[in-house]
Amino acid sequence: VKTEPEFGKQAVYLDGRYGETVEDQTLFPKFNPNQPETWEPRGMQQIAADGVKYVAPPMWVLVTLDANNNIVPSAYAVQAKAAGLNMITWTLERSGFLKTGGGWYYTGVEKAINNDGDMLIMLDVLANQVGIKGIFSDWAATVTYYANCMGLK
């Protein structure tokens, strides 16, 4: 972003602080998308101040459950949006069976996931409440169906 600003304006920060490891040592073992104090070494305002326009964490970092077990934006998503950061996430259809909680990509929202249709609920929250600009998917049919039905561009 600093050395090649024209190219850098397209850069995406692939946020791996949720569990990045080096030589069998977890660098960010306490990362919690709902506790900003665990987002070190950089908070959302600092990422934006560094000139980053897009952050790209996995889906589960952008969502959490409310008191009624509804899927809602996480503090990470709320603060990224407040800092003016755009969000891209991954990967919609690379999970376990949703009837058994969905696996790693649905971490933290297992209580709200119990059937394959819940994938569309997750996608709807990401699109309309979190405000993602894009999502990676192994099978584009679900995202395309959702976008066509909801009139998204």
Side-chain angles (χ1 to χ4, degrees):
V1 172
K2 289 180 184 174
T3 60
E4 295 292 334
E6 188 62 30
F7 180 76
K9 68 182 177 184
Q10 300 178 69
V12 175
Y13 176 48
L14 297 173
D15 196 345
R17 295 177 290 176
Y18 56 85
E20 186 175 328
T21 60
V22 173
E23 297 176 20
D24 298 324
Q25 188 174 37
T26 301
L27 297 177
F28 308 108
K30 297 178 183 176
F31 179 89
N32 181 321
N34 289 302
Q35 295 176 343
E37 63 276 9
T38 68
W39 303 346
E40 294 302 325
R42 303 181 324 159
M44 297 303 163
Q45 293 295 336
Q46 185 177 356
I47 291 170
D50 287 344
V52 173
K53 304 290 184 211
Y54 286 85
V55 292
M59 293 188 319
W60 66 266
V61 170
L62 297 175
V63 294
T64 191
L65 295 178
D66 67 11
N68 295 316
N69 288 329
N70 296 308
I71 301 171
V72 296
S74 68
Y76 180 106
V78 171
Q79 289 197 18
K81 193 177 209 175
L85 293 165
N86 296 299
M87 292 168 274
I88 297 173
T89 193
W90 47 277
T91 297
L92 186 63
E93 296 184 273
R94 184 175 280 213
S95 60
F97 293 110
L98 271 58
K99 69 181 178 182
T100 58
W104 186 80
Y105 292 97
Y106 290 84
T107 297
V109 295
E110 299 90 349
K111 291 180 182 176
I113 303 296
N114 65 24
N115 67 77
D116 288 340
D118 289 336
M119 186 178 304
L120 291 169
I121 293 170
M122 177 74 118
L123 183 56
D124 189 63
V125 170
L126 289 166
N128 290 311
Q129 294 180 43
V130 171
I132 60 169
K133 299 295 182 188
I135 188 167
F136 288 91
S137 178
D138 288 357
W139 305 100
T142 302
V143 176
T144 302
Y145 174 78
Y146 175 83
N148 288 332
C149 289
M150 301 304 290
L152 301 177
K153 295 180 184 182

